[in-house]
Amino acid sequence: MSEKSRLPSRFLFFLIPISMFFFIISSVSLLQLGNISLLPGSVFKLILLNSTAVYLKSNVKSEPVKIPFFSSMASQIDTKASMRSGGVKCPNSEMAAIGKQKRENCDHNRALLRVYMYDLPPDFHFGLLAWKGKANQTWPNVDDLNHIPLYPGGLNLQHSIEYWLTLDLLASSTPKVARPCSAVRVQNSSQADIIFVPFFSSLSYNRHSKLHGKEKVSVNKMLQDRLVQFLMGQHEWKRYGGRDHLIVAHHPNSMIDARKKLGSAMFILADFGRYLLEIANLGKDIIAPYKHVVRTIPSGKSAQFDERPILVFFQGAIYRKDGGVIRQELYYLLRDEKNVHFTFGTVRGNGINKASHGMASSKFCLNIAGDTPSSNRLFDAIVSHCVPVIISDDIELPFEDVLDYSKFSVFVRASDAVKKGYLLNLLRSIERDKWTMMWERLKDIAPQFEYQYPSQPGDAVDMIWKAVSRKRSSVQFTLNRKKRYRRPEIH
Ligand SMILES: *[C@@H]1O[C@H](CO)[C@@H](O)[C@H](O)[C@H]1NC(C)=O
Ligand SMILES: *[C@@H]1O[C@H](CO)[C@@H](O)[C@H](O)[C@H]1NC(C)=O
Ligand SMILES: *[C@H]1O[C@H](CO)[C@@H](O)[C@H](O)[C@H]1NC(C)=O
């Protein structure tokens, strides 16, 4: 955990791409041995550095390399290296230095999405991570991985979407970081397709909802009030009534005070469970994946059908309020069945390790509606290549306009799932060939659910920007249609 990337040497700097390639290959195989277990806090760091190295690497080769392959290597390298070296310099950080030299600037005119980001004071974003810049410094320097403030680990991380998107926009302004060019930050809001509101609303909810001392309002509420006040005063907001604004509110309870006033904006959400239809809906909003909390299984190490002894896996809180009744019903139906792992237990502390191991040893992983339609469990299942069984009638899924979930998931209506024998009969009837096809597909799409810095082509950050771009077109379509019979104003 104390490992810092020193990005030290210019040593590898002049090696040709080919030799680097073999270098990685050999590091991977050297580091292959042993079981890894990560503490949640360290997971974050690992992802940061490792993916960097890998993406930069692929960049050097001027042709994008297939992601599944590389990202699986990334996770191997990163976990093993960090386990082994514990603070000693690791080869991968040097590669990051190499890649940097090769980067081309994103062309603002060709980017899918030009994004204007308000320079909100740090109180709204990195200040919540205890980051302090120099006088009048609004943003951290994102060139140097050592100076990027870390997001708190554990379960906070599952809603860290705000953080990854903001970092990615900042990175788009510096030529030193290689990343995909789907979105670029522009400094002039009239040239922007979308206006990004950099408020870390989930973190604000998670960390600052409680009252301290003599406070009358929580920091979380105060920030939301200030945000509303700020936005209402901006000509960018007034221009289209906020419709071209992008607000991240991934935690279902985030933005709870402000959401009504800002409902015209495009939200990035986990689901619509706690929103009124007129405030959030598929017509204008984006569903983003949770950041998974179990570790990613490298594609090459994923257990096959016969190597997964558990047929069905579920671990989670079993008694939930609201829509969670079905969990109990399923629990009583399944708890005594053979090859079924169905237990209580939140995914905290060592629970994460157990869940990682359990999912990676299971053929099917249940995603049952809890007190919200979505949960991080689906994404944990995906990166464990455990075929998700989705029992949540109201769930909305990320990127579903471009991703056919039926190719790698099983959907079961809640009313069917609670019929005696139904679920297990269904799952037992999915035999090895069919299951293996889904598993192959899972390995292909898992990288689309990875959040990391810098972003890589086709990862979650990149997918979100593309989804925003598509949604923006459809919002524009609706707006234009409304104008059909509007009479020209007479002057
Ligand atoms: C910071 O901003 C204030 C007000 O805009 C200005 O008076 C001050 O000189 C700035 N300080 C620095 C170090 O730029
Ligand atoms: C911003 O862009 C608009 C439209 O392209 C242009 O008219 C305006 O001068 C620009 N503003 C600045 C400060 O560059
Ligand atoms: C992997 O990332 C972790 C995160 O910081 C880092 O500690 C480790 O050195 C990295 N190894 C690789 C990948 O670069």
Side-chain angles (χ1 to χ4, degrees):
M1 265 141 295
S2 63
E3 180 155 6
K4 296 255 161 107
S5 87
R6 304 264 147 84
L7 301 186
S9 69
R10 292 150 281 135
F11 154 64
L12 276 178
F13 187 83
F14 295 105
L15 288 189
I16 53 168
I18 295 288
S19 57
M20 287 184 11
F21 177 78
F22 283 112
F23 178 65
I24 284 213
I25 292 280
S26 58
S27 350
V28 169
S29 51
L30 268 178
L31 300 171
Q32 285 269 352
L33 313 165
N35 265 341
I36 320 112
S37 71
L38 296 174
L39 295 174
S42 63
V43 170
F44 166 82
K45 281 199 189 173
L46 293 176
I47 292 164
L48 198 74
L49 286 180
N50 291 298
S51 346
T52 309
V54 172
Y55 174 53
L56 292 168
K57 169 106 196 34
S58 68
N59 225 29
V60 172
K61 300 174 112 186
S62 89
E63 218 180 27
V65 185
K66 262 193 105 187
I67 302 153
F69 176 60
F70 266 89
S71 55
S72 60
M73 288 213 314
S75 23
Q76 288 182 359
I77 293 170
D78 101 38
T79 20
K80 314 278 165 143
S82 66
M83 287 306 287
R84 198 183 58 149
S85 60
V88 185
K89 66 175 175 175
C90 87
N92 307 293
S93 25
E94 286 151 351
M95 294 196 197
I98 301 172
K100 282 182 179 178
Q101 314 302 323
K102 295 284 183 177
R103 180 183 186 259
E104 289 167 24
N105 268 319
C106 289
D107 181 345
H108 284 207
N109 296 315
R110 287 204 319 224
L112 209 49
L113 204 59
R114 284 168 299 243
V115 186
Y116 176 78
M117 177 161 69
Y118 289 119
D119 285 319
L120 285 177
D123 308 6
F124 287 92
H125 42 85
F126 290 95
L128 293 168
L129 303 171
W131 174 77
K132 286 195 183 61
K134 301 201 181 75
N136 296 358
Q137 188 183 349
T138 304
W139 301 110
N141 177 1
V142 297
D143 300 1
D144 182 348
L145 294 175
N146 287 319
H147 290 118
I148 295 177
L150 299 186
Y151 202 88
L155 290 184
N156 287 296
L157 265 182
Q158 58 181 338
H159 296 296
S160 56
I161 291 65
E162 50 206 22
Y163 170 78
W164 304 105
L165 292 177
T166 306
L167 279 181
D168 189 50
L169 282 180
L170 293 173
S172 80
S173 306
T174 161
K176 290 199 184 152
V177 182
R179 59 181 278 285
C181 286
S182 301
V184 296
R185 183 180 175 200
V186 295
Q187 298 295 340
N188 181 340
S189 62
S190 29
Q191 289 159 3
D193 304 308
I194 203 98
I195 314 287
F196 185 77
V197 180
F199 174 38
F200 290 179
S201 61
S202 297
L203 188 65
S204 174
Y205 170 74
N206 273 331
R207 289 297 179 90
H208 299 287
S209 309
K210 296 208 181 80
L211 293 177
H212 295 286
K214 291 184 189 156
E215 287 170 0
K216 292 237 170 60
V217 294
S218 67
V219 169
N220 180 42
K221 179 166 189 332
M222 180 268 295
L223 286 173
Q224 292 176 61
D225 294 345
R226 273 174 64 191
L227 184 67
V228 170
Q229 202 177 15
F230 168 85
L231 288 174
M232 296 306 147
Q234 300 304 305
H235 73 86
E236 285 87 359
W237 182 274
K238 294 175 189 160
R239 201 167 47 175
Y240 301 115
R243 280 189 198 82
D244 59 349
H245 279 51
L246 184 62
I247 296 176
V248 190
H250 199 263
H251 192 294
N253 292 343
S254 61
M255 294 297 268
I256 209 144
D257 299 295
R259 57 175 65 162
K260 219 169 162 178
K261 296 184 187 112
L262 304 179
S264 54
M266 185 188 291
F267 288 124
I268 294 183
L269 303 174
D271 59 53
F272 298 120
R274 294 189 186 161
Y275 280 82
L276 296 172
L277 186 64
E278 63 267 29
I279 292 176
N281 55 70
L282 270 188
K284 68 177 184 67
D285 301 316
I286 307 279
I287 299 297
Y290 290 59
K291 179 164 172 37
H292 59 85
V293 298
V294 308
R295 65 176 178 271
T296 299
I297 303 291
S299 200
K301 298 186 115 191
S302 183
Q304 306 188 10
F305 189 80
D306 298 318
E307 299 161 348
R308 294 179 181 244
I310 305 169
L311 177 69
V312 182
F313 182 91
F314 177 84
Q315 179 174 331
I318 288 176
Y319 299 101
R320 304 302 305 222
K321 40 190 195 282
D322 305 337
V325 192
I326 184 165
R327 289 192 182 182
Q328 288 166 53
E329 297 191 32
L330 281 169
Y331 175 66
Y332 293 114
L333 273 178
L334 298 180
R335 61 177 171 177
D336 296 325
E337 294 283 348
K338 199 168 145 246
N339 299 341
V340 172
H341 173 101
F342 199 121
T343 57
F344 294 89
T346 56
V347 183
R348 260 173 220 281
N350 194 37
I352 293 184
N353 277 329
K354 283 195 186 150
S356 291
H357 189 259
M359 288 184 165
S361 317
S362 303
K363 297 183 178 77
F364 296 98
C365 286
L366 299 185
N367 297 272
I368 315 169
D371 49 8
T372 55
S374 70
S375 82
N376 67 305
R377 209 163 282 108
L378 171 62
F379 309 100
D380 287 342
I382 289 174
V383 300
S384 308
H385 313 138
C386 176
V387 172
V389 178
I390 299 174
I391 308 172
S392 181
D393 299 347
D394 299 323
I395 197 170
E396 293 297 342
L397 298 163
F399 322 134
E400 201 174 6
D401 55 340
V402 293
L403 202 55
D404 179 356
Y405 280 75
S406 71
K407 292 245 165 48
F408 55 86
S409 316
V410 177
F411 289 86
V412 182
R413 287 193 183 81
S415 54
D416 288 334
V418 295
K419 290 178 192 157
K420 196 160 176 12
Y422 185 95
L423 190 59
L424 287 184
N425 284 342
L426 175 71
L427 299 182
R428 288 195 177 119
S429 75
I430 299 176
E431 288 173 355
R432 180 195 294 160
D433 288 357
K434 176 83 198 306
W435 184 90
T436 302
M437 278 167 62
M438 296 175 125
W439 172 73
E440 293 286 0
R441 185 74 186 130
L442 277 172
K443 290 191 290 178
D444 287 346
I445 55 94
Q448 299 180 4
F449 298 90
E450 296 291 353
Y451 290 96
Q452 56 206 330
Y453 180 80
S455 168
Q456 298 183 28
D459 70 2
V461 167
D462 196 31
M463 292 291 286
I464 289 173
W465 292 131
K466 288 174 175 156
V468 169
S469 166
R470 293 190 297 271
K471 194 66 78 178
R472 189 189 159 276
S473 307
S474 75
V475 168
Q476 195 61 48
F477 175 80
T478 313
L479 285 179
N480 288 346
R481 275 180 72 90
K482 282 195 180 143
K483 291 183 194 159
R484 281 183 178 185
Y485 297 104
R486 204 166 73 186
R487 304 288 169 232
E489 286 169 33
I490 297 155
H491 294 284

